[in-house]
Amino acid sequence: MFKMENVTVQINEKFILNNLSFTVPKGQISVIIGESGSGKSTTLSAILGILPALATVEGSIFFNGRNLVALAKQDQAALRQRHFFTIFQDAANSFSPTQKMKQQLYGLTALRMGQTMAVFLAKMKRIVQDLHLPDDVLERYPFELSGGMLQRCMLACALYLEPAVLLADEPTSSLDMLHQQEFIQQLKRLHSQLETTVLLIIHDLDVAASIADFILVMKNGEIVERGQVTEIFEQPKHPYTRQLVAHHF
Amino acid sequence: MIAKWIGKRVIMGTIVLIIVSFLSFFMMHAAPGNPAAAYYGGNAQTLSTAEKERIETAFGLDQPILYQYGVWLQEALQGNLGYSAKEGRPVATIIQERLPNTLQLVVLTLGIVAIASTWLGIQAGMKEGSLLDRGLSFVSIASSAIPPFWLGILFIMVFSVQLGWFPTSGMKDVRGDGGLVDRLYHMVLPLSVLVLSHVGVFARFLQENVKAENHRYYVQVARANGVPERAIRKMVLRNAIIPYINYVGVTIPSFFGGSIVVETLFGWSGLGQLLVKAVMVKDFPVLMGAILIIGVVVVFCLFVIDVLMIFLNPRLRRGGIV
Ligand SMILES: Nc1ncnc2c1ncn2[C@@H]1O[C@H](COP(=O)(O)OP(=O)(O)O)[C@@H](O)[C@H]1O
Ligand SMILES: [Mg+2]
């Protein structure tokens, strides 16, 4: 249902993604691992259509049989808006500092569905309770919440929207150990509830191993190895993967 | 808590006013010319030395400057601004007649500038690289480079003298009833000059802030997640407006400065014109009174800006600063 085919991204004549092809298995949690600068975030940006203006994209990105790259900008946006939700790395900066969470989560979820604030509040209050967020979280400003809480607010949006695809770029790397664990547990729970297709970028291999069904190993803008989590961690084939895994355990 | 905060502001404002008045007083006396001249009326030539000395003694002008300032300050703190050296009328009365005229001009200017520059700033800032974006940057530089007096003279020449659309000066028509319409009609040119010499810079300031805000992480997060553009605009403006309002706050004195030029040019009988006249004839009591009142208005505006900041910035509001 979600597939990259020969995707090449260039910025200033430099290949950032090089003929990238992979399929994200439906309903599973897939995780991209790889060193910094290998092109993981760029892959996500390409999927989301938020590459820098000077980047050129070739190849196809299929979602439900439709090539996102070939669609008009508005149609792309409409499709993503309906089916995708993305959590970014820097939780503390993911929200405007001068609006209450209520307003911002409303903008991220119900507003685009044309729902009223009342409808939103009724549903969202239950979700934030489920996620063990403070009772008054919706009345708070971002600076009154921890990074972990803010990242869980993003999860709350995903639970609200029930997107077909949930994307996240290193969602836990700005969190401390305790909050990382908590976030991962809740993400797993969300996945089992919604059967969403999940594509994560995760730097920490422990965290990756604890959540992934399927692993993609990235290096220099290419996928060098892919497979079920046990295969990758127990019988890595590519030298780079071996090196990554060996360094880790 | 709030009373304490306000109290602190009032004390700080008072100190600022005292410093301003002190500096004004000394600069006035440092300027060439005799401070007693205004008291002579038109009779400087015919007065004898003894008579001149008598005038100086009567008005305390023979005392040390510091002492004179002390006396002035003591009276001013009790609300007594003294009497005009030229007209002999109480300074407070003269200012009372003039202040509303200046406030009308400045407040209207400020209102129009705020609305126009906010609209322009956000339109231009949200559409980077657009014609408006590039155009505004250019126009703003141009508009801030044109001196208001020159623009004023140009307007008088074109719109009054050549086209005859608006009066060259004054606040009401000799045949007119002095009503609102008449007043606004006379205000068009001075107001336009003040607005045009400020709006570009303000719009440009907001434009830059909107652009910077529009590149912030949270906006990218919102955009990537399909938050409707009008909600994003609101969010961006909500943050970009904070430094903008601060900027308006620190620029308020410049509106009064501009109004001095414009009032003189268009014969608008406000405080600005009064100041210029008072300088000409060395009417120090009027000068001091007018400066003090403008100071009070400016300090009050800054106070309002501070309150707005707290209202707009939840960090200040909830951080226990109030
Ligand atoms: N806007 C950009 N302009 C130029 N180069 C970029 C830009 N964004 C990313 N890159 C380059 O692309 C490469 C991949 O970056 P990125 O996708 O962020 O890697 P990762 O997320 O795996 O750390 C890096 O070498 C980076 O320098
Ligand atoms: Mg990255």
Side-chain angles (χ1 to χ4, degrees):
Chain A
M1 70 163 308
F2 191 83
K3 190 164 75 170
M4 309 277 280
E5 249 179 43
N6 309 105
V7 174
T8 295
V9 170
Q10 289 182 65
I11 299 177
N12 294 332
E13 318 273 293
K14 188 179 152 215
F15 285 84
I16 311 291
L17 299 183
N18 201 352
N19 218 11
L20 198 71
S21 298
F22 63 84
T23 303
V24 178
K26 185 171 176 165
Q28 288 194 15
I29 299 181
S30 303
V31 173
I32 304 179
I33 60 174
E35 64 196 7
S36 284
S38 56
K40 305 183 298 293
S41 295
T42 306
T43 307
L44 213 68
S45 298
I47 295 170
L48 291 169
I50 53 169
L51 285 165
L54 42 113
T56 60
V57 195
E58 291 160 64
S60 316
I61 302 173
F62 287 104
F63 173 71
N64 280 350
R66 298 173 76 182
N67 182 3
L68 286 177
V69 180
L71 289 177
K73 270 258 175 268
Q74 284 145 299
D75 298 335
Q76 283 186 38
L79 207 68
R80 290 195 189 95
Q81 206 181 98
R82 257 174 71 83
H83 300 289
F84 291 27
F85 190 77
T86 311
I87 300 174
F88 290 87
Q89 176 173 350
D90 188 353
N93 287 315
S94 289
F95 296 95
S96 162
T98 55
Q99 280 185 334
K100 284 184 179 175
M101 294 311 290
K102 179 166 78 176
Q103 210 63 40
Q104 306 200 48
L105 298 189
Y106 177 64
L108 283 164
T109 58
L111 180 61
R112 52 162 134 161
M113 293 156 77
Q115 293 172 349
T116 64
M117 184 56 103
V119 172
F120 163 78
L121 284 177
K123 185 169 168 188
M124 193 48 111
K125 277 187 179 149
R126 259 182 290 121
I127 295 175
V128 297
Q129 236 167 29
D130 272 1
L131 290 173
H132 305 300
L133 281 159
D135 287 334
D136 63 345
V137 65
L138 295 174
E139 295 299 329
R140 292 200 200 180
Y141 288 93
F143 63 89
E144 297 171 316
L145 296 165
S146 70
M149 289 178 190
L150 289 169
Q151 211 57 315
R152 271 183 281 155
C153 285
M154 291 304 275
L155 269 189
C157 292
L159 279 163
Y160 191 103
L161 288 165
E162 306 187 4
V165 180
L166 178 64
L167 304 162
D169 188 353
E170 307 199 24
T172 59
S173 48
S174 69
L175 309 182
D176 59 48
M177 285 293 269
L178 191 73
H179 285 114
Q180 274 190 11
Q181 287 304 320
E182 199 169 11
F183 183 87
I184 293 299
Q185 289 314 316
Q186 290 180 337
L187 184 56
K188 273 185 177 170
R189 207 155 57 97
L190 175 149
H191 175 252
S192 63
Q193 269 172 36
L194 305 181
E195 296 174 349
T196 302
T197 301
V198 179
L199 176 62
L200 305 175
I201 294 169
I202 288 181
H203 196 75
D204 185 321
L205 293 193
D206 274 330
V207 177
S210 74
I211 192 169
D213 298 314
F214 190 73
I215 297 258
L216 297 146
V217 185
M218 199 158 179
K219 187 178 194 291
N220 294 336
E222 294 174 37
I223 299 287
V224 294
E225 187 165 357
R226 68 199 76 195
Q228 294 300 313
V229 63
T230 46
E231 294 174 317
I232 297 290
F233 282 98
E234 282 161 25
Q235 299 139 351
K237 292 186 201 72
H238 193 277
Y240 177 69
T241 316
R242 271 193 226 133
Q243 186 199 333
L244 265 185
V245 172
H247 269 287
H248 188 68
F249 293 103
Chain B
M1 223 32 194
I2 289 178
K4 199 176 149 197
W5 185 82
I6 292 177
K8 230 168 89 181
R9 296 281 139 159
V10 170
I11 291 170
M12 269 165 55
T14 311
I15 293 173
V16 167
L17 290 175
I18 290 176
I19 293 172
V20 166
S21 67
F22 181 81
L23 290 177
S24 316
F25 202 87
F26 277 79
M27 285 193 313
M28 273 187 307
H29 283 85
N34 185 354
Y39 292 98
Y40 302 160
N43 312 319
Q45 264 75 23
T46 57
L47 287 173
S48 69
T49 315
E51 281 168 322
K52 285 184 181 172
E53 266 172 24
R54 206 162 49 78
I55 288 175
E56 283 181 23
T57 320
F59 293 102
L61 299 173
D62 54 345
Q63 303 285 346
I65 293 175
L66 203 61
Y67 177 80
Q68 289 185 40
Y69 175 72
V71 171
W72 178 85
L73 183 64
Q74 202 184 359
E75 291 296 321
L77 286 177
Q78 291 165 23
N80 179 12
L81 295 175
Y83 291 84
S84 161
K86 176 91 184 147
E87 298 182 41
R89 293 198 297 148
V91 171
T93 311
I94 298 175
I95 287 175
Q96 246 172 33
E97 293 163 4
R98 299 274 183 152
L99 182 63
N101 296 335
T102 293
L103 285 184
Q104 279 168 11
L105 200 58
V106 170
V107 168
L108 255 178
T109 304
L110 198 58
I112 295 173
V113 166
I115 292 170
S117 66
T118 305
W119 187 83
L120 281 170
I122 191 151
Q123 289 297 329
M126 291 300 282
K127 288 207 184 73
E128 255 190 278
S130 68
L131 194 65
L132 187 62
D133 178 30
R134 284 173 294 145
L136 187 57
S137 303
F138 175 77
V139 169
S140 136
I141 293 166
S143 91
S144 60
I146 298 173
F149 75 88
W150 188 83
L151 194 64
I153 291 170
L154 186 75
F155 274 21
I156 291 176
M157 272 164 52
V158 175
F159 296 109
S160 303
V161 178
Q162 292 200 337
L163 296 170
W165 290 352
F166 297 104
T168 51
S169 74
M171 300 204 303
K172 62 176 204 238
D173 199 289
V174 277
R175 292 151 297 170
D177 52 0
L180 185 66
V181 177
D182 194 24
R183 158 109 8 164
L184 286 176
Y185 176 62
H186 280 77
M187 212 192 265
V188 170
L189 287 188
L191 193 65
S192 307
V193 170
L194 270 182
V195 167
L196 285 177
S197 54
H198 283 97
V199 75
V201 192
F202 281 68
R204 162 91 183 193
F205 187 87
L206 184 63
Q207 173 194 20
E208 291 304 321
N209 274 307
V210 165
K211 271 194 214 175
E213 206 61 39
N214 203 19
H215 290 268
R216 296 280 283 276
Y217 197 80
Y218 73 87
V219 175
Q220 287 172 295
V221 170
R223 227 173 237 135
N225 278 316
V227 173
E229 203 56 27
R230 76 195 135 87
I232 291 180
R233 267 173 100 86
K234 201 171 134 187
M235 204 151 63
V236 165
L237 184 61
R238 183 71 178 67
N239 289 306
I241 203 84
I242 293 177
Y244 168 83
I245 287 180
N246 245 327
Y247 180 68
V248 173
V250 301
T251 324
I252 280 175
S254 141
F255 284 93
F256 286 95
S259 86
I260 292 180
V261 173
V262 164
E263 285 178 10
T264 308
L265 203 57
F266 289 94
W268 192 263
S269 35
L271 279 181
Q273 196 195 38
L274 181 69
L275 266 175
V276 173
K277 283 184 176 167
V279 168
M280 300 284 199
V281 300
K282 295 214 151 231
D283 191 342
F284 284 3
V286 166
L287 210 47
M288 285 306 291
I291 290 172
L292 186 70
I293 292 305
I294 291 179
V296 168
V297 172
V298 168
V299 166
F300 176 74
C301 290
L302 294 180
F303 172 76
V304 171
I305 299 284
D306 271 346
V307 173
L308 265 178
M309 275 307 112
I310 288 169
F311 180 71
L312 286 172
N313 190 342
R315 252 182 224 277
L316 294 182
R317 193 159 8 110
R318 296 231 187 167
I321 287 176
V322 175

